[in-house]
Structures are given as structure tokens and as C-alpha cells.
Amino acid sequence: MTTKQASALSVAGVLALTASAVLLSLPGGPDIRVGTKTWDIRLKLGLDLLGGTQLIYQAQMKDIPAEQRSDALQGVRDVVERRVNAFGISEPLIQTTGGGDGGRVVVELAGIQDVEQAIALIGETPQLDFREEAEIKGLTNAVDAGGIPLAWRPTELSGRNLRRADVSFHAQTGAPEVSLIFDSDGSALFEKITERNIGKRIAIFLDNTPITAPVVQDKITQGEAVITGSFTLAEAKQLVTRLNAGALPVPISLESRTTVGPTLGKDSLSKSVVAGVVGLITVVAYVIVLYRLPGVIAAFALILYALLNLVAYKILGVTMTLAGVAGFILSIGMAVDANILIFERLKEELRNGRPLRQAIPEGFREAWSSIRDSNVSSLITCVLLYALGSSVVRGFALTLGLGILLSMFSAVTVTRTLLQFVVAARSQSSPRLFASGLTPLSPQPKP
Amino acid sequence: MMFSVTRTSRVWFSLSGLLMAATAVVLIFWGLNPGIDFSGGSILKLEGDGITVPRMREALVRLGESSAVVQTTGEGESIVRLRTLSTEEHARLLARLRETFPALEETQFDSVGPTLSRELLRKSVLAIILASLGILVYLAFVFRRTSSVVSPWSFGTIAVLALLHDAFIATGAFAVYARFWSASADSLFVTALLTTIGFSVHDTIVIFNRIAGNMRRLRLSFAQIVDVSVVETFTRSVNTSLTTLLVLLSLLFFGGDTTRPFIVALAAGVVIGTYSSVCVAAPLLVRWQEWKGRRSRR
């Protein structure tokens, strides 16, 4: 196909990209459906824009051997999550991170009102204990819908006595099972408990919630037990993690707490949006005044670039914080820089007497090495910020890094496509349209 | 006559020297007000009738918190800064304070423990060092083909010196701002510093790139090549910094109060970064070459 046709095709591609970007970035936009999975793409907002509390817990793992630490941390995380869910908070964010003596759990609660209560409940060490069936006066064999007794009497056997829990497999059926190993006190206690409860159930309680209630088949003397039941492998693993978490003494201490009031959050959000829009408009105006026709192309490319960023945040599930907004807005400045580099080069080629049709690809080629090198150094900084920073810093690094990558794409692909199309479409394009509006042509250096 | 950066270099070096000395003075006498992210501790925001700074301070000292710092914001709110408090200590302190100030209400309580804050400080310093090293190596690689006249390591070294110069002065500018508008240097400030480093190098690289290109094309002395390159890229440097500043200014005026110190630090960084790339890095490169030439001739 001719150059004109190729250009037209590329432009059509750009327009299609723009259309989908606009669609996807609208707040009420459609979700992406791939087969049976629905991708819910709403923009996730961080605490400083929603209001809420962030708590960072340190797991004290000095007494835990290294191999068991990640399991212990996972167990702590699960327990914390269950406790937080009991509050009915929408979408709490609970993550584990490394650091300190074995690991930390970061809890972000959006919009929570009573921080003190949340802290009080979360801060307890996971509690594991074993209970036997009890009799409620007047009601014999009270059971719930699943046939499990409702009344339990605590025994002396607790998490302190469980040395280890593991996943094992039934010798014949291969079904997943959970094996328990008690210490010497635990073994003695367990023997007595199983002796008096043959045919009845013993329940294992974690944080006062029964997680399993197997029926005792026999008296157990070796201090080992296997819980059989209809476990999937995933269920067995989860139970083992929880049991070990309850068994290992992992106290957690609150290392840090920060809050953002909800009104401050909403206020910051609206202000940031306004600032972003104003910034974009100002830059667009400046670029058009400065570079005339290419400026208009750059303006379009910039707006597309802003939309592409929004879509990227939604698809990648980036959580927007105030620092993230600043990173995005800053990357707008860098996106302009790439365009400026290209246009300045273009002006130079024109000044050197090259015809327009050749000046454009030459300009791009020369500018690309500058763009690439300067952006790579900024990217190095972003990568380091992401690796070493706190969550606030990470948000900034992520949006800035994404912005830099997208700006390289937008400048070289979108801008170039549109420029080539414009030149191909109008066979005599006056170089005046490409001259700068403000700065005069500087004198040629003597060779 | 064309503007020659190398011939006017004495002006720029003196200016930079002055700025760095001023920064040193500011940092020594005023210090950089570290936020609880780095120093650890807690911040309480309290409201209520009858709370004045001297009365609150007196009450705190009586309760044994002699290191407490009390300030007021404009809106009838007091900000108290203390050592790290555990949940129980915090509850107890509030209860005891309420004995003196019955209408006391706490609007916010933030607390960061010492291990977390120490780690953050360590990581921030590490990030600055690693960023500088990474950039140094990357630039040496990018400019490897200029080794006949100028060692590639020179480009990297000067770029890193320029960025350290920028980070230093930007810190001083922030210290001045922090002093008068009571801001504190938290992890956002470190982010601003690292961004300043990234931008400063961004700018410097464009100029160096031009110098490297002209070295292949023009038959002039190194100093003349540098002059020409600076003039040629001047428009672009100014335009880029201006657009970035425009964006930052809109954030400054229309954005919220919480990011204001952050934006100020970024804006200072952009201005200083552009200045250093054009007026300091380029002539410094020439001086560096001359100095190395003199050394090898001895």
C-alpha cells in the first residue's frame, strides 16, 4: 500500500485506541469480560484520598526458627484478616511485608470510625484451644444444622501444647489429612481427653471459633493425632497454617499507626483532580502556542496519554494516593519533554534546509537517543524508589514510572503517526506552520 | 556575541558556592525538621476550650513528658509531638490530660515506632546512594564512544556531582520553607529529593548527549563545543522546565495542603536542576577536562 494508505491506517489505529481509552477511563465505564471472568475496573483509592487508618504490626519472631517464619507470618495475617472482617469494613487491605525481626503485617482500614476498638481486637495473640462436648442443663445433645454440638467445655489442652501440625495423606485413599504432634504435657492431657470422649467430638477452637470438630475414634497415647475428614488439599493446608499460627507463640506489637480524616481525604481528592485538569490544560495551551501545528498534534497526544494512564491504573489495580497523583501530574511534564525534544530537532532540521518530508523522520531519529537516555535514568530512580520506599513512596514511583513508559510510547508512536499523516495528507505543507511561535531561530554556529 | 557558558563559568561557580554555603548554614542552625516517619514518635491533634500552648506544655511536663513539643495550627487546634506511645500509654495520657482540660477532644493520633523509623531513614539514604551509582554507571555506558577525547566516566562523574549539588541545595530550600511554614521532612520529602535527582540528570543528559554528538561533528575546542551545545539545547531545557513548573504550580495552588511541602520541594528541585545542568554541569565538565589534562602533562 502507498505511504498515504499506511499513514491512514496508523491514524485509524490511534483513533481506535483513543476511543477505547475514553470508554475505559470513564467512571461508570464497562467492565472487561474475558470468558467467564469479569474484571471489575474501578479506580482504587488510597487511604489519604478515602480517609482511614493504617496500622503496621511487627511480628515478634525472635524465638521462631527461620524455616517456620513465613508460615507463622501467613498465619498471623490470616488471623488478623478474620478479626478485621468481623468489623464489617468494606475491602480492608491486609498485606505482609518483610523487615524487622521476621515480618510485618500492614492493615489499611478505609473509613473506619473507632480505631481504638479495632486495635484492641487485632492486637491479641492468636488463641488455640481444645474443647470437649459439654451438656447444657435441660438440653441433651443439642446440635446445630450440621450435626455439630453447640455446647463445649474447655479443657486444659491448648496451643501451648501443640508442637506442630502438618498436612499428610491417607495411606490408602490418598486423601489429605492434618496430623498433630503434641509436646509431653500435651500428650498426657490428650490421652486423658480422648479416653473420656470416645465416640464424641473434640473441637479445636481458634480465637474462640471452632475450626474443626472431629469424632474421637480411640484413646491416643503417643501424643500424635490425625484429623481425617473431607478436606480438600487447600483446606488442609489452611488448617495447618492456622494451627501452627496458634501453636507458635507469635506476639504482635503495633509499630505504627496513622490516620487520615475522611473529610480531609475527600477534600484532597477533589483538589487533586482540579489541579490535574488545570495542569493539563495549561500545558496543552503552552505547547500549542509554542509549536503551532505540531503543538496541536502534541496536545492531542498528551490528552490521549493522560487517558491511557488512567486506563493503566484501572487495569493494573494501582491504588491512587496523593503521592501517586503527584507522580502522574509530574509525568505529564515529562511527556511534554519528549515532544519538545522531537520538535526542537524538527525545527533544526528545517533550518538546515531539509525538506519537511525528510525532516520529520530525521528529527525523530535524533531525538530518540536523548529521550531514551534521559528517561532511563529517571526510570532507574523510580525502580529504586519502589524497591526501597514506604507504601506512600511506592505509589509515587509506580505512577511516575508508568507515566514515563507511556510517555515514550505516546511521543514516538502517536505523535509520529499523526505528524506523518498530516504531512502525507497535505502535499505542500508550509514549514512556517512548524516554526515556533515564541522563540526566534537562533544563529547558526560557524562550522 | 553568543552566550558562552564556559567563559562566564566563574559567575556560576561562585553562585553555586554561595548557595551551598547558605544551605550548610541553614542546616546547621535551623536543622531539617524531621517528621515522625524518620525520628519516630507520636503526634496528637487536640481540640477543646481552654487549651493554650503554655498550659498544655505545662500539663505535659507535669505528667512526665518533658520532651513534648506543642504548636497551634490556625484553626484552634493544637499539635503535640511526643515520644512513641503504646496504645495503653496513649489512653492513659488522654485520661490524665482530660483531668486538666475537661473539654479535650482528640482529632488525630499517629504513632511510629523507633525500629520502623530507623529502617526508613536507612532505606532512604541507601536509595540516594544507589540512584547516584546507577546513574553513574549508566552514563558511562551511554557515552562510551567518546573515550578518545573525554573519558566516559567524566560524564557520569560530573552528572553525579551536579545531582548531589542539586539535592543539597534543594534540602536547604526545603529547610527554609519548613522553618517558616512549619512543615516536616517525611518520606514524601525524600521522594521529592529522589525525583529532583532523576530530573536533574534527565536535563544534564540531554545537554551531554548534544555535546557528544557535536564532538563527532564539529572541529572545535572542547570548551567551544560545550558552549555551542548549551546554546543549542537551551530552548529545550527552558521549555521542559517551564512546562513541569506550570504543572507543579497548578498543584501548588489548586492542590490540598497536605502535599504542599512536597510540591514546594519538587519545584525547588526542578529549578535548581535546570540551573545546574546548564550553568554548572557543562562548564564543570570543561574544567574537569582541563584539570585532568594538566595532571597528565606533569
Side-chain angles (χ1 to χ4, degrees):
Chain A
M1 61 178 115
T2 66
T3 348
K4 235 185 185 169
Q5 284 174 330
S7 300
L9 209 57
S10 321
V11 173
V14 167
L15 287 175
L17 187 65
T18 315
S20 38
V22 170
L23 256 183
L24 284 174
S25 53
L26 288 176
D31 299 329
I32 306 179
R33 243 173 282 268
V34 180
T36 47
K37 249 182 55 160
T38 311
W39 232 330
D40 174 26
I41 44 170
R42 274 171 302 137
L43 196 60
K44 291 205 298 197
L45 295 174
L47 274 192
D48 48 6
L49 294 174
L50 277 179
T53 308
Q54 185 199 62
L55 306 167
I56 301 184
Y57 287 96
Q58 172 77 51
Q60 315 282 20
M61 301 226 243
K62 295 193 301 297
D63 306 322
I64 312 297
E67 328 79 68
Q68 293 175 343
R69 280 188 185 183
S70 66
D71 278 349
L73 191 62
Q74 201 48 41
V76 171
R77 185 211 172 285
D78 290 343
V79 169
V80 169
E81 182 165 28
R82 243 179 315 114
R83 295 176 183 187
V84 166
N85 283 334
F87 262 82
I89 302 165
S90 61
E91 296 187 25
L93 187 71
I94 303 173
Q95 293 170 327
T96 53
T97 63
D101 243 339
R104 298 202 178 99
V105 179
V106 178
V107 180
E108 288 192 359
L109 309 167
I112 185 169
Q113 294 306 322
D114 197 348
V115 187
E116 304 297 334
Q117 208 188 1
I119 293 177
L121 203 58
I122 294 174
E124 291 165 19
T125 308
Q127 288 275 357
L128 180 74
D129 61 306
F130 295 78
R131 305 186 193 178
E132 52 191 357
E133 290 183 24
E135 280 163 5
I136 310 175
K137 288 214 175 57
L139 276 159
T140 46
N141 299 331
V143 294
D144 68 6
I148 302 204
L150 290 169
W152 298 97
R153 182 177 53 226
T155 64
E156 279 174 335
L157 189 61
S158 78
R160 272 179 297 121
N161 308 108
L162 182 68
R163 184 175 296 143
R164 184 131 183 96
D166 279 310
V167 176
S168 58
F169 297 95
H170 192 275
Q172 275 101 35
T173 64
E177 302 174 323
V178 175
S179 69
L180 305 172
I181 303 174
F182 293 102
D183 63 12
S184 48
D185 289 337
S187 305
L189 280 169
F190 197 49
E191 186 182 329
K192 287 206 213 88
I193 295 171
T194 47
E195 200 176 12
R196 39 173 210 260
N197 281 293
I198 295 182
K200 294 198 274 188
R201 291 179 185 267
I202 295 183
I204 304 180
F205 274 66
L206 186 64
D207 281 356
N208 288 314
T209 316
I211 47 177
T212 180
V215 177
V216 180
Q217 314 282 2
D218 225 325
K219 171 173 93 169
I220 296 173
T221 48
Q222 323 95 298
E224 286 176 9
V226 174
I227 308 175
T228 54
S230 45
F231 291 118
T232 63
L233 186 58
E235 283 171 356
K237 279 186 176 168
Q238 194 188 44
L239 181 55
V240 161
T241 308
R242 284 165 148 194
L243 285 175
N244 280 331
L248 299 164
V250 188
I252 50 180
S253 60
L254 185 58
E255 266 298 297
S256 123
R257 51 180 286 180
T258 41
T259 52
V260 174
T263 37
L264 184 63
K266 257 188 273 220
D267 192 42
S268 302
L269 177 59
S270 53
K271 284 192 174 157
S272 302
V273 169
V274 167
V277 169
V278 169
L280 192 58
I281 292 176
T282 322
V283 166
V284 159
Y286 186 69
V287 150
I288 291 180
V289 165
L290 213 51
Y291 294 108
R292 299 192 184 168
L293 179 58
V296 172
I297 294 178
F300 178 75
L302 273 175
I303 296 179
L304 173 58
Y305 162 79
L307 290 175
L308 281 177
N309 267 284
L310 274 176
V311 170
Y313 299 154
K314 285 190 173 191
I315 292 184
L316 293 173
V318 172
T319 306
M320 282 305 275
T321 58
L322 271 178
V325 169
F328 165 60
I329 292 178
L330 208 54
S331 72
I332 294 178
M334 300 200 78
V336 180
D337 182 46
N339 283 303
I340 289 179
L341 272 170
I342 293 169
F343 294 154
E344 288 292 326
R345 258 311 188 189
L346 189 57
K347 267 175 22 189
E348 261 195 60
E349 297 292 330
L350 286 173
R351 243 181 279 137
N352 289 341
R354 236 189 254 268
L356 197 58
R357 216 170 277 258
Q358 282 178 9
I360 291 181
E362 269 303 302
F364 271 96
R365 209 173 49 81
E366 293 278 345
W368 173 244
S369 65
S370 273
I371 296 176
R372 180 199 58 208
D373 294 340
S374 52
N375 278 342
V376 165
S377 66
S378 304
L379 280 174
I380 290 178
T381 319
C382 282
V383 166
L384 277 169
L385 274 174
Y386 192 82
L388 293 171
S390 63
S391 58
V392 166
V393 170
R394 267 194 201 168
F396 177 77
L398 192 56
T399 52
L400 188 59
L402 262 177
I404 292 176
L405 288 172
L406 281 174
S407 78
M408 290 206 275
F409 165 77
S410 134
V412 175
T413 312
V414 175
T415 310
R416 170 157 66 176
T417 305
L418 291 176
L419 256 184
Q420 281 175 334
F421 177 70
V422 164
V423 170
R426 320 178 39 186
S427 19
Q428 347 88 291
S429 311
S430 151
R432 286 256 332 278
L433 272 176
F434 290 78
S436 155
L438 286 180
T439 47
L441 299 178
S442 46
Q444 289 257 38
K446 306 266 180 304
Chain B
M1 234 240 316
M2 198 171 65
F3 168 64
S4 163
V5 130
T6 47
R7 261 172 281 172
T8 48
S9 59
R10 221 165 273 172
V11 175
W12 312 122
F13 292 163
S14 322
L15 182 59
S16 285
L18 209 67
L19 285 172
M20 293 214 278
T23 302
V25 164
V26 162
L27 287 179
I28 292 175
F29 287 106
W30 283 348
L32 194 61
N33 183 19
I36 55 174
D37 285 0
F38 291 117
S39 59
S42 19
I43 289 188
L44 294 99
K45 288 200 179 151
L46 305 168
E47 281 183 337
D49 301 323
I51 299 182
T52 62
V53 172
R55 284 191 72 198
M56 176 59 78
R57 174 127 177 89
E58 200 195 302
L60 286 166
V61 169
R62 247 184 301 130
L63 292 171
E65 304 291 345
S66 49
S67 60
V69 174
V70 186
Q71 285 175 311
T72 43
T73 62
E75 300 119 31
E77 206 180 41
S78 312
I79 302 183
V80 177
R81 194 157 152 174
L82 293 173
R83 61 185 176 89
T84 318
L85 294 174
S86 73
T87 319
E88 301 87 43
E89 289 173 323
H90 169 234
R92 244 182 296 140
L93 182 70
L94 275 184
R96 306 268 286 280
L97 278 177
R98 279 207 180 93
E99 291 168 19
T100 322
F101 305 101
L104 182 74
E105 256 186 55
E106 182 189 69
T107 51
Q108 189 172 328
F109 171 56
D110 291 340
S111 172
V112 176
T115 26
L116 202 63
S117 53
R118 260 199 304 265
E119 209 176 279
L120 204 60
L121 186 59
R122 190 174 54 88
K123 278 184 175 173
S124 304
V125 172
L126 195 63
I128 294 179
I129 295 176
L130 284 179
S132 308
L133 281 177
I135 290 168
L136 179 61
V137 169
Y138 178 66
L139 287 186
F141 170 72
V142 159
F143 290 118
R144 63 194 178 284
R145 280 198 223 101
T146 62
S147 43
S148 51
V149 180
V150 179
S151 150
W153 294 105
S154 302
F155 285 107
T157 316
I158 301 297
V160 168
L161 284 177
L163 74 87
L164 290 175
H165 156 278
D166 295 342
F168 189 61
I169 297 183
T171 309
F174 184 79
V176 172
Y177 175 82
R179 170 82 170 192
F180 289 114
W181 281 273
S182 52
S184 57
D186 53 8
S187 39
L188 274 184
F189 167 68
V190 173
T191 310
L193 265 189
L194 282 164
T195 315
T196 301
I197 289 175
F199 270 31
S200 162
V201 177
H202 184 117
D203 229 6
T204 313
I205 287 179
V206 171
I207 297 178
F208 282 4
N209 203 295
R210 200 50 184 250
I211 295 176
N214 282 342
M215 274 165 64
R216 271 175 280 154
R217 228 174 300 145
L218 302 173
R219 304 237 153 280
L220 295 170
S221 75
F222 186 60
Q224 286 173 309
I225 292 181
V226 168
D227 279 339
V228 163
S229 312
V230 165
V231 168
E232 285 175 347
T233 53
F234 190 70
T235 318
R236 175 255 152 210
S237 296
V238 166
N239 281 344
T240 303
S241 308
L242 260 171
T243 42
T244 312
L245 272 176
L246 274 176
V247 167
L248 285 175
L249 279 174
S250 88
L251 259 181
L252 203 61
F253 289 127
F254 296 102
D257 298 319
T258 28
T259 43
R260 193 151 294 163
F262 177 48
I263 306 295
V264 166
L266 279 176
V270 167
V271 169
I272 296 172
T274 315
Y275 157 72
S276 81
S277 306
V278 173
C279 301
V280 176
L284 199 59
L285 191 61
V286 175
R287 287 297 167 101
W288 183 262
Q289 274 300 105
E290 291 172 2
W291 180 73
K292 279 176 66 177
R294 268 199 297 269
R295 272 186 61 192
S296 61
R297 268 197 291 271
R298 275 202 218 113

